[in-house]
Amino acid sequence: MSKLLIENVSKSFGKNQVLQDMSLTVSDGEFVSILGPSGSGKSTLFRLIGGISLPDSGSIYLDDAKINGQRGSISYMPQSSSLFPWRTILKNVLLGAELNGKIDEDKAVNMLERAGLKGYEHAYPHQLSGGMKQRVSFIRALLSPQAFMCLDEPFSALDEFTRVDMQKWLLNVWTEYQRSILFVTHHIEEAIFLSDRIIVLSQRPATVKKEFVIPFERPRREELLLTEEFLRFKKGVYDALVE
């Protein structure tokens, strides 16, 4: 497990300021979602955390070590599955571990089986559905040695039924492994259903506008989505986004 601290981070591209004095934390084993308007800098924030870009000012710490501009500190799951078409499913999930010299093929096979992908170890990505590809992508991130995970709208391309199934599957896996997760989504229900906390960003230049602690106990079940309490909470988050 691992703790992330973002402290007064700002970032501009030319005259276009994207982030302004942004500060947030993700505690050990915590699941935190980020919601914000389109173009509010969520992807830029992930690039900064991943060390792909440098902030203009401010600091990013992982387990008290400053990681500004430092790559390889986190594992990352993008919007698309980004699987290599020439590698088998097993070889794809082992990629992160392979790059870090910590391959455990038995563990990978076991995780694929538990994800409902038994028998697909030697298949190729084009033979899998969208939901199956996203499971493979998440297992690849989970098998990477980094304890902190950034998930960038990983279910946005899925239909509603597949999306809900993937959310429930993700919660089951996360409950077992308790990785620290920072999750970007545009989907309010998804953020509430999955998270311990939600951070709402403002329009550009983005800063933290509001924070919500999710009051619903775990484990979360699909029936929660239709309760009056859930719908009231959803309205509160929606109001914070549009105000």
Side-chain angles (χ1 to χ4, degrees), residues 108-118 131-132 135-136 139 166 169 173:
V109 169
N110 180 259
M111 290 184 71
L112 284 170
E113 181 175 345
R114 295 174 68 182
L117 295 167
K118 182 178 174 61
M132 293 165 78
R135 292 186 189 201
V136 174
I139 291 170
M166 285 299 300
W169 178 81
V173 176

PDB file of all heavy atoms in Angstrom, residues 108-118 131-132 135-136 139 166 169 173:
ATOM      1  N   ALA A 108      -0.052 -14.827 -12.186  1.00  0.00           N
ATOM      2  CA  ALA A 108      -0.784 -14.226 -13.303  1.00  0.00           C
ATOM      3  C   ALA A 108      -1.868 -15.164 -13.814  1.00  0.00           C
ATOM      4  O   ALA A 108      -3.009 -14.743 -14.063  1.00  0.00           O
ATOM      5  CB  ALA A 108       0.192 -13.866 -14.423  1.00  0.00           C
ATOM      6  N   VAL A 109      -1.535 -16.427 -13.958  1.00  0.00           N
ATOM      7  CA  VAL A 109      -2.515 -17.414 -14.425  1.00  0.00           C
ATOM      8  C   VAL A 109      -3.669 -17.518 -13.437  1.00  0.00           C
ATOM      9  O   VAL A 109      -4.845 -17.581 -13.819  1.00  0.00           O
ATOM     10  CB  VAL A 109      -1.841 -18.790 -14.626  1.00  0.00           C
ATOM     11  CG1 VAL A 109      -2.888 -19.885 -14.845  1.00  0.00           C
ATOM     12  CG2 VAL A 109      -0.877 -18.741 -15.806  1.00  0.00           C
ATOM     13  N   ASN A 110      -3.340 -17.515 -12.134  1.00  0.00           N
ATOM     14  CA  ASN A 110      -4.366 -17.594 -11.103  1.00  0.00           C
ATOM     15  C   ASN A 110      -5.294 -16.386 -11.144  1.00  0.00           C
ATOM     16  O   ASN A 110      -6.523 -16.517 -11.023  1.00  0.00           O
ATOM     17  CB  ASN A 110      -3.712 -17.716  -9.730  1.00  0.00           C
ATOM     18  CG  ASN A 110      -4.721 -17.795  -8.602  1.00  0.00           C
ATOM     19  OD1 ASN A 110      -4.991 -16.821  -7.905  1.00  0.00           O
ATOM     20  ND2 ASN A 110      -5.304 -18.969  -8.423  1.00  0.00           N
ATOM     21  N   MET A 111      -4.727 -15.189 -11.344  1.00  0.00           N
ATOM     22  CA  MET A 111      -5.551 -13.979 -11.386  1.00  0.00           C
ATOM     23  C   MET A 111      -6.434 -13.943 -12.631  1.00  0.00           C
ATOM     24  O   MET A 111      -7.583 -13.497 -12.578  1.00  0.00           O
ATOM     25  CB  MET A 111      -4.665 -12.737 -11.303  1.00  0.00           C
ATOM     26  CG  MET A 111      -4.036 -12.564  -9.934  1.00  0.00           C
ATOM     27  SD  MET A 111      -3.072 -11.048  -9.795  1.00  0.00           S
ATOM     28  CE  MET A 111      -4.379  -9.828  -9.795  1.00  0.00           C
ATOM     29  N   LEU A 112      -5.923 -14.428 -13.748  1.00  0.00           N
ATOM     30  CA  LEU A 112      -6.738 -14.505 -14.954  1.00  0.00           C
ATOM     31  C   LEU A 112      -7.912 -15.458 -14.743  1.00  0.00           C
ATOM     32  O   LEU A 112      -9.040 -15.176 -15.161  1.00  0.00           O
ATOM     33  CB  LEU A 112      -5.886 -14.970 -16.139  1.00  0.00           C
ATOM     34  CG  LEU A 112      -4.944 -13.925 -16.741  1.00  0.00           C
ATOM     35  CD1 LEU A 112      -3.994 -14.571 -17.741  1.00  0.00           C
ATOM     36  CD2 LEU A 112      -5.722 -12.792 -17.414  1.00  0.00           C
ATOM     37  N   GLU A 113      -7.645 -16.571 -14.075  1.00  0.00           N
ATOM     38  CA  GLU A 113      -8.708 -17.538 -13.800  1.00  0.00           C
ATOM     39  C   GLU A 113      -9.783 -16.922 -12.921  1.00  0.00           C
ATOM     40  O   GLU A 113     -10.977 -17.056 -13.178  1.00  0.00           O
ATOM     41  CB  GLU A 113      -8.126 -18.781 -13.134  1.00  0.00           C
ATOM     42  CG  GLU A 113      -9.161 -19.849 -12.837  1.00  0.00           C
ATOM     43  CD  GLU A 113      -8.544 -21.127 -12.276  1.00  0.00           C
ATOM     44  OE1 GLU A 113      -7.316 -21.297 -12.378  1.00  0.00           O
ATOM     45  OE2 GLU A 113      -9.313 -21.955 -11.743  1.00  0.00           O
ATOM     46  N   ARG A 114      -9.361 -16.192 -11.887  1.00  0.00           N
ATOM     47  CA  ARG A 114     -10.313 -15.577 -10.968  1.00  0.00           C
ATOM     48  C   ARG A 114     -11.070 -14.430 -11.620  1.00  0.00           C
ATOM     49  O   ARG A 114     -12.139 -14.044 -11.158  1.00  0.00           O
ATOM     50  CB  ARG A 114      -9.581 -15.104  -9.716  1.00  0.00           C
ATOM     51  CG  ARG A 114      -9.001 -16.264  -8.925  1.00  0.00           C
ATOM     52  CD  ARG A 114      -8.159 -15.814  -7.779  1.00  0.00           C
ATOM     53  NE  ARG A 114      -8.949 -15.161  -6.743  1.00  0.00           N
ATOM     54  CZ  ARG A 114      -8.424 -14.638  -5.650  1.00  0.00           C
ATOM     55  NH1 ARG A 114      -7.117 -14.674  -5.468  1.00  0.00           N
ATOM     56  NH2 ARG A 114      -9.196 -14.079  -4.759  1.00  0.00           N
ATOM     57  N   ALA A 115     -10.519 -13.902 -12.701  1.00  0.00           N
ATOM     58  CA  ALA A 115     -11.201 -12.839 -13.441  1.00  0.00           C
ATOM     59  C   ALA A 115     -12.129 -13.410 -14.514  1.00  0.00           C
ATOM     60  O   ALA A 115     -12.683 -12.655 -15.326  1.00  0.00           O
ATOM     61  CB  ALA A 115     -10.171 -11.922 -14.099  1.00  0.00           C
ATOM     62  N   GLY A 116     -12.314 -14.721 -14.523  1.00  0.00           N
ATOM     63  CA  GLY A 116     -13.192 -15.352 -15.495  1.00  0.00           C
ATOM     64  C   GLY A 116     -12.554 -15.530 -16.854  1.00  0.00           C
ATOM     65  O   GLY A 116     -13.251 -15.659 -17.863  1.00  0.00           O
ATOM     66  N   LEU A 117     -11.218 -15.528 -16.893  1.00  0.00           N
ATOM     67  CA  LEU A 117     -10.502 -15.611 -18.169  1.00  0.00           C
ATOM     68  C   LEU A 117      -9.716 -16.915 -18.314  1.00  0.00           C
ATOM     69  O   LEU A 117      -8.780 -16.984 -19.113  1.00  0.00           O
ATOM     70  CB  LEU A 117      -9.558 -14.409 -18.303  1.00  0.00           C
ATOM     71  CG  LEU A 117     -10.270 -13.048 -18.402  1.00  0.00           C
ATOM     72  CD1 LEU A 117      -9.279 -11.905 -18.220  1.00  0.00           C
ATOM     73  CD2 LEU A 117     -11.000 -12.903 -19.724  1.00  0.00           C
ATOM     74  N   LYS A 118     -10.099 -17.906 -17.550  1.00  0.00           N
ATOM     75  CA  LYS A 118      -9.464 -19.218 -17.683  1.00  0.00           C
ATOM     76  C   LYS A 118      -9.677 -19.743 -19.105  1.00  0.00           C
ATOM     77  O   LYS A 118     -10.782 -19.681 -19.648  1.00  0.00           O
ATOM     78  CB  LYS A 118     -10.048 -20.206 -16.675  1.00  0.00           C
ATOM     79  CG  LYS A 118      -9.411 -21.591 -16.696  1.00  0.00           C
ATOM     80  CD  LYS A 118     -10.022 -22.476 -15.618  1.00  0.00           C
ATOM     81  CE  LYS A 118      -9.511 -23.906 -15.701  1.00  0.00           C
ATOM     82  NZ  LYS A 118      -8.055 -24.001 -15.505  1.00  0.00           N
ATOM     83  N   GLY A 131     -15.106  -5.770 -22.280  1.00  0.00           N
ATOM     84  CA  GLY A 131     -15.015  -5.955 -20.837  1.00  0.00           C
ATOM     85  C   GLY A 131     -13.884  -6.887 -20.445  1.00  0.00           C
ATOM     86  O   GLY A 131     -13.188  -6.662 -19.448  1.00  0.00           O
ATOM     87  N   MET A 132     -13.675  -7.936 -21.235  1.00  0.00           N
ATOM     88  CA  MET A 132     -12.585  -8.878 -20.964  1.00  0.00           C
ATOM     89  C   MET A 132     -11.229  -8.197 -21.126  1.00  0.00           C
ATOM     90  O   MET A 132     -10.307  -8.399 -20.323  1.00  0.00           O
ATOM     91  CB  MET A 132     -12.699 -10.092 -21.886  1.00  0.00           C
ATOM     92  CG  MET A 132     -13.921 -10.955 -21.612  1.00  0.00           C
ATOM     93  SD  MET A 132     -14.291 -12.106 -22.952  1.00  0.00           S
ATOM     94  CE  MET A 132     -13.073 -13.388 -22.649  1.00  0.00           C
ATOM     95  N   ARG A 135     -10.462  -6.157 -18.079  1.00  0.00           N
ATOM     96  CA  ARG A 135     -10.016  -7.001 -16.966  1.00  0.00           C
ATOM     97  C   ARG A 135      -8.539  -7.337 -17.116  1.00  0.00           C
ATOM     98  O   ARG A 135      -7.785  -7.309 -16.144  1.00  0.00           O
ATOM     99  CB  ARG A 135     -10.850  -8.280 -16.908  1.00  0.00           C
ATOM    100  CG  ARG A 135     -12.292  -8.045 -16.523  1.00  0.00           C
ATOM    101  CD  ARG A 135     -13.052  -9.334 -16.338  1.00  0.00           C
ATOM    102  NE  ARG A 135     -14.479  -9.061 -16.174  1.00  0.00           N
ATOM    103  CZ  ARG A 135     -15.332  -9.888 -15.612  1.00  0.00           C
ATOM    104  NH1 ARG A 135     -14.916 -11.051 -15.166  1.00  0.00           N
ATOM    105  NH2 ARG A 135     -16.604  -9.572 -15.500  1.00  0.00           N
ATOM    106  N   VAL A 136      -8.150  -7.658 -18.333  1.00  0.00           N
ATOM    107  CA  VAL A 136      -6.735  -7.956 -18.601  1.00  0.00           C
ATOM    108  C   VAL A 136      -5.869  -6.739 -18.281  1.00  0.00           C
ATOM    109  O   VAL A 136      -4.823  -6.843 -17.642  1.00  0.00           O
ATOM    110  CB  VAL A 136      -6.543  -8.390 -20.070  1.00  0.00           C
ATOM    111  CG1 VAL A 136      -5.056  -8.547 -20.399  1.00  0.00           C
ATOM    112  CG2 VAL A 136      -7.272  -9.707 -20.338  1.00  0.00           C
ATOM    113  N   ILE A 139      -5.562  -6.319 -14.501  1.00  0.00           N
ATOM    114  CA  ILE A 139      -4.668  -7.330 -13.920  1.00  0.00           C
ATOM    115  C   ILE A 139      -3.214  -6.981 -14.223  1.00  0.00           C
ATOM    116  O   ILE A 139      -2.340  -7.128 -13.367  1.00  0.00           O
ATOM    117  CB  ILE A 139      -5.027  -8.737 -14.448  1.00  0.00           C
ATOM    118  CG1 ILE A 139      -6.388  -9.169 -13.890  1.00  0.00           C
ATOM    119  CG2 ILE A 139      -3.956  -9.762 -14.044  1.00  0.00           C
ATOM    120  CD1 ILE A 139      -6.942 -10.424 -14.525  1.00  0.00           C
ATOM    121  N   MET A 166     -18.247  -4.653 -14.442  1.00  0.00           N
ATOM    122  CA  MET A 166     -16.830  -4.351 -14.227  1.00  0.00           C
ATOM    123  C   MET A 166     -16.612  -3.597 -12.918  1.00  0.00           C
ATOM    124  O   MET A 166     -15.618  -3.815 -12.231  1.00  0.00           O
ATOM    125  CB  MET A 166     -16.297  -3.526 -15.401  1.00  0.00           C
ATOM    126  CG  MET A 166     -16.070  -4.333 -16.673  1.00  0.00           C
ATOM    127  SD  MET A 166     -14.841  -5.654 -16.463  1.00  0.00           S
ATOM    128  CE  MET A 166     -13.404  -4.710 -15.997  1.00  0.00           C
ATOM    129  N   TRP A 169     -16.762  -6.189 -10.213  1.00  0.00           N
ATOM    130  CA  TRP A 169     -15.541  -6.999 -10.266  1.00  0.00           C
ATOM    131  C   TRP A 169     -14.347  -6.229  -9.704  1.00  0.00           C
ATOM    132  O   TRP A 169     -13.555  -6.765  -8.915  1.00  0.00           O
ATOM    133  CB  TRP A 169     -15.269  -7.433 -11.711  1.00  0.00           C
ATOM    134  CG  TRP A 169     -14.005  -8.221 -11.854  1.00  0.00           C
ATOM    135  CD1 TRP A 169     -13.824  -9.546 -11.590  1.00  0.00           C
ATOM    136  CD2 TRP A 169     -12.732  -7.720 -12.277  1.00  0.00           C
ATOM    137  NE1 TRP A 169     -12.520  -9.906 -11.825  1.00  0.00           N
ATOM    138  CE2 TRP A 169     -11.825  -8.797 -12.255  1.00  0.00           C
ATOM    139  CE3 TRP A 169     -12.274  -6.465 -12.681  1.00  0.00           C
ATOM    140  CZ2 TRP A 169     -10.494  -8.660 -12.617  1.00  0.00           C
ATOM    141  CZ3 TRP A 169     -10.937  -6.325 -13.037  1.00  0.00           C
ATOM    142  CH2 TRP A 169     -10.063  -7.414 -13.006  1.00  0.00           C
ATOM    143  N   VAL A 173     -11.888  -7.244  -6.459  1.00  0.00           N
ATOM    144  CA  VAL A 173     -10.428  -7.370  -6.551  1.00  0.00           C
ATOM    145  C   VAL A 173      -9.752  -6.365  -5.623  1.00  0.00           C
ATOM    146  O   VAL A 173      -8.805  -6.695  -4.905  1.00  0.00           O
ATOM    147  CB  VAL A 173      -9.962  -7.160  -8.006  1.00  0.00           C
ATOM    148  CG1 VAL A 173      -8.440  -7.198  -8.093  1.00  0.00           C
ATOM    149  CG2 VAL A 173     -10.553  -8.234  -8.916  1.00  0.00           C
TER     150      VAL A 173
END
